[in-house]
Amino acid sequence: EPYFVIAPAATVTEGGLAAFRVTLSRALTTPASVWVGTTDGTAAGGVDFSTNPQFLSFAPGVTEQTAYLRTYGDAVAEPTETFSARLY
C-alpha cells in the first residue's frame, strides 16, 4: 500500500515560508492527494503561523512535492519557536 511521508522544515525566519517536503512511497499510475495541516509547538497557530491547510495533488508518476506554509513576523524579541506539519 503506498503512503505519504513528510520531512521537517528547515529553520525559517518569521514572516517567511516554511517548506515541508512530502514524498509518496512509490510512483503510482493514478493521481494521489493529501492535505498538509499544522500542529502547534511553542509557536501558536493563527498567531505565529497560518493554520490554513494545503492540498497537494500528485499526478501519476510524481513522488515528491513541497508544501509551503506561511509564518507571521512580529517585532517581539522571543526565543526560537516551533510548529509541525501533519498529513491527513
Side-chain angles (χ1 to χ4, degrees), residues 29-85:
T29 58
T30 58
S33 57
V34 66
W35 284 94
V36 180
T38 56
T39 301
D40 287 7
T42 56
V47 175
D48 296 307
F49 60 90
S50 173
T51 57
N52 293 334
Q54 184 175 355
F55 183 77
L56 295 180
S57 182
F58 288 69
V62 173
T63 60
E64 186 175 297
Q65 289 197 48
T66 303
Y68 295 96
L69 304 173
R70 171 134 336 261
T71 65
Y72 303 134
D74 57 39
V76 178
E78 53 198 1
T80 299
E81 297 176 299
T82 62
F83 72 97
S84 300

